[in-house]
């Protein structure tokens, strides 16, 4: 999917995907196309015929609320999409940062990891998606970059609202950003209970959230 999107994206030919599968992987592809390749649209075939709750439905509701923010950052170079394909880990070189994305996390429930990152300032990022872990590294070996603060946010009609501040084990002591798999609420009780290991992994959420991450730099 990544290569096909890249092949069809040109400055004089904005990406439009008029017909796609309508399964649980579709929302992953939609997020990737909209954020990595500034796609004009993504349309699963027969989407109006879906009558059961699915990740696609949940994801489209999330994207509808996020569209005003995504539109502001399309074409700016300040937004990237993430999509797991063959590799369990990928590195993204982005300005002063090297981003380490790990898709081999627990729990996965046979779902692919995906999402997007928006850089809203030199030291602030909005991160959304499911099924991956993110760590920040510096491009310059003489400097270190560390996570300062992580706030979980929800988006309503393009407006971000704080939900809770993540601390301690929720961020690995401000070492990593963890985006759990999103899965339907009716499936959650049978899948996972609160872990007592370090770091703990809570039951997967039934809706998408955003993590607003602030980082800081220091000389080594």
């Amino acid at each position: 999917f990544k290569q096909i999107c890249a092949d069809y994206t040109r400055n004089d030919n904005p990406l439009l995907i008029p017909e796609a599968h309508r399964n649980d992987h579709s929302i992953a592809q939609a997020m990737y196309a909209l954020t990595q390749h500034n796609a004009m649209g993504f349309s699963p075939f027969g989407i109006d015929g879906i009558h059961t709750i699915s990740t696609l439905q949940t994801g489209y509701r999330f994207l509808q609320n996020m569209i005003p923010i995504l539109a502001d950052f399309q074409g700016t170079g300040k937004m990237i999409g993430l999509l797991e394909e063959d590799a369990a880990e990928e590195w993204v070189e982005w300005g002063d940062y090297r981003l380490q994305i790990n898709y081999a996390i627990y729990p996965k429930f046979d779902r692919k990891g995906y999402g997007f990152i928006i850089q809203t300032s030199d030291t602030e990022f909005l991160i959304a998606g499911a099924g991956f872990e993110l760590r920040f590294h510096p491009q310059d070996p003489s400097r270190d970059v560390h996570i300062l603060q992580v706030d979980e946010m929800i988006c309503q009609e393009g407006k971000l609202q704080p939900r809770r501040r993540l601390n301690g084990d929720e961020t690995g002591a401000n070492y990593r950003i963890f985006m759990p798999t999103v899965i339907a609420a009716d499936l959650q009780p049978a899948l996972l209970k609160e872990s007592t290991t370090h770091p703990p992994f809570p039951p997967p959420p039934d809706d998408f959230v955003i993590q607003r991450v602030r980082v800081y730099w220091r000389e080594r």
Side-chain angles (χ1 to χ4, degrees):
F1 184 79
K2 288 182 176 181
Q3 187 60 54
I4 292 172
C5 287
D7 290 344
Y8 278 84
T9 301
R10 302 196 313 261
N11 288 336
D12 63 338
N13 185 48
L15 181 64
L16 173 65
I17 301 176
E19 197 168 290
H21 292 296
R22 56 174 192 177
N23 54 33
D24 283 333
H25 297 299
S26 298
I27 189 59
Q29 295 176 342
M31 284 193 187
Y32 180 80
L34 290 171
T35 57
Q36 180 66 24
H37 291 286
N38 305 310
M40 294 174 61
F42 181 96
S43 179
F45 181 79
I47 192 172
D48 52 340
I50 298 177
H51 301 295
T52 57
I53 298 298
S54 69
T55 307
L56 178 60
Q57 211 170 21
T58 303
Y60 259 54
R61 180 174 63 243
F62 171 74
L63 285 175
Q64 182 180 18
N65 283 314
M66 283 291 297
I67 283 297
I69 296 175
L70 298 183
D72 283 344
F73 284 93
Q74 277 194 329
T76 65
K78 298 295 185 180
M79 181 166 63
I80 59 173
L82 305 175
L83 181 63
E84 179 185 3
E85 289 192 327
D86 297 326
E89 181 182 82
E90 67 176 312
W91 289 78
V92 178
E93 311 287 334
W94 200 18
D96 294 329
Y97 300 90
R98 298 180 69 236
L99 306 181
Q100 180 185 9
I101 297 97
N102 180 15
Y103 299 112
I105 62 172
Y106 177 84
K108 289 299 292 288
F109 306 112
D110 297 322
R111 302 287 175 86
K112 295 289 188 180
Y114 60 93
F116 57 86
I117 305 171
I118 301 173
Q119 186 176 11
T120 56
S121 76
D122 290 343
T123 56
E124 183 179 282
F125 300 82
L126 300 178
I127 302 169
F132 68 90
E133 178 183 280
L134 168 67
R135 300 185 185 190
F136 291 87
H137 300 275
Q139 291 274 23
D140 184 349
S142 68
R143 306 175 71 198
D144 280 325
V145 58
H146 300 275
I147 295 172
L148 175 65
Q149 180 178 308
V150 183
D151 293 308
E152 188 178 81
M153 317 287 286
I154 58 173
C155 186
Q156 297 290 334
E157 299 180 350
K159 303 294 184 182
L160 294 177
Q161 301 174 13
R163 183 176 177 183
R164 59 177 180 158
R165 177 154 295 173
L166 304 183
N167 288 302
D169 290 340
E170 297 162 332
T171 61
N174 278 1
Y175 185 64
R176 56 93 171 111
I177 305 302
F178 175 67
M179 303 301 297
T181 302
V182 175
I183 199 162
D186 60 332
L187 298 178
Q188 288 190 34
L191 290 176
L192 186 69
K193 295 182 179 180
E194 180 72 31
S195 168
T196 57
T197 62
H198 179 80
F201 292 112
D206 60 354
D207 206 347
F208 290 90
V209 296
I210 302 154
Q211 292 190 29
R212 184 176 64 191
V213 180
R214 293 188 173 99
V215 301
Y216 69 95
W217 292 87
R218 69 180 182 188
E219 300 298 320
R220 287 187 177 181

